[in-house]
Amino acid sequence: EVQLVQSGAEVKKPGESLKISCKGSGYTFTNYWIGWVRQMPGKGLEWMGIIYPDDSDTRFNPSFQGQVTISVDKSINTAYLQWNSLKASDTAIYYCGRHVTGTTFDYWGQGSLVTVSP
Amino acid sequence: DIQMTQSPSSLSASVGDRVTITCRASQGVSHYLAWFQQKPGKAPKSLIYAASTLQSGVPSKFSGSGSGTDFTLTISSLQPEDFATYYCQQYNAYPYTFGQGTKLEIK
């Protein structure tokens, strides 16, 4: 069974750093892209970017490039989304998803709530 | 970026109804269009890709059509579990973009 399990909720202060994770299981992790999607409170879905675990090839939404880092550790089947300096506007739920080459998401993680507050 | 516009933004319907949601792209995306369902407090669920192909396990009451710039999602015989927010997404060109969502509510 394909599963993507994300790390738990985080509460951080502005300026702090954070790295959230997404661990895949039940499939060959290096054969599928992993993507990240942001959902701000009460809002819709925003595509942030995707990474190919086999070679770390990355495609970014320009709106997020420079604001976050997407990385992967294929030895432990885990993808990451990282901030160096959080802002209040980063408060959102972040979903990871398995992204099939040539198509789009088929399986999703459960979401990670990030709250940034003074 | 390709802008995706869904209509309506919200829709009221009754159990047993058939409803159609429209998604329009600001430029052609061929058949590279997906639909997702999201219930409150839950992760999105993938329904359709390639405009009309059902994801594994998705019931045939969901159907998609369209190509180029205009697409539709049709849900037949609405059941209580179908009331949710639906999003379209194009994956023809980076950055992939979602529509703003259509909230389907019980009348």
Side-chain angles (χ1 to χ4, degrees):
Chain A
E1 178 195 7
V2 173
Q3 282 195 309
L4 295 170
V5 178
Q6 298 185 230
S7 49
E10 301 273 2
V11 180
K12 293 288 189 178
K13 295 187 183 333
E16 292 186 332
S17 63
L18 175 65
K19 192 174 192 179
I20 62 174
S21 66
C22 171
K23 183 174 177 64
S25 63
Y27 71 100
T28 302
F29 187 72
T30 50
N31 286 358
Y32 295 83
W33 297 77
I34 292 286
W36 289 95
V37 169
R38 182 175 78 174
Q39 187 166 41
M40 299 178 76
K43 302 300 184 183
L45 306 174
E46 299 174 90
W47 188 89
M48 300 176 72
I50 53 174
I51 188 165
Y52 195 64
D54 194 43
D55 60 5
S56 294
D57 187 15
T58 307
R59 303 282 187 269
F60 255 112
N61 183 334
S63 297
F64 293 94
Q65 192 143 25
Q67 309 305 309
V68 296
T69 301
I70 295 175
S71 62
V72 66
D73 185 341
K74 62 182 180 181
S75 70
I76 55 171
N77 290 0
T78 301
Y80 301 97
L81 182 65
Q82 181 176 1
W83 295 260
N84 289 333
S85 182
L86 286 159
K87 302 185 283 285
S89 57
D90 293 317
T91 295
I93 299 173
Y94 294 87
Y95 294 102
C96 68
R98 192 178 81 161
H99 205 283
V100 181
T101 299
T103 67
T104 183
F105 296 107
D106 58 355
Y107 289 91
W108 295 78
Q110 82 277 18
S112 296
L113 173 62
V114 174
T115 303
V116 184
S117 180
Chain B
D1 298 1
I2 298 174
Q3 305 302 316
M4 306 301 292
T5 304
Q6 293 180 228
S7 59
S9 294
S10 63
L11 175 59
S12 293
S14 300
V15 171
D17 283 355
R18 178 176 184 261
V19 297
T20 296
I21 298 168
T22 297
C23 177
R24 175 163 288 174
S26 61
Q27 62 191 77
V29 299
S30 184
H31 62 282
Y32 299 111
L33 191 283
W35 290 95
F36 302 92
Q37 175 195 65
Q38 188 179 33
K39 297 180 181 179
K42 300 295 187 182
K45 175 184 176 182
S46 302
L47 296 177
I48 288 171
Y49 65 97
S52 61
T53 304
L54 293 179
Q55 290 280 0
S56 175
V58 174
S60 59
K61 64 187 303 179
F62 293 94
S63 63
S65 66
S67 182
T69 60
D70 294 304
F71 301 86
T72 60
L73 171 70
T74 298
I75 312 169
S76 62
S77 187
L78 281 171
Q79 297 301 304
E81 61 268 23
D82 300 327
F83 291 92
T85 299
Y86 293 85
Y87 295 92
C88 64
Q89 184 213 24
Q90 68 80 20
Y91 54 96
N92 181 66
Y94 295 119
Y96 297 168
T97 44
F98 291 93
Q100 82 280 13
T102 294
K103 187 173 184 179
L104 177 56
E105 298 174 303
I106 299 178
K107 187 182 291 184

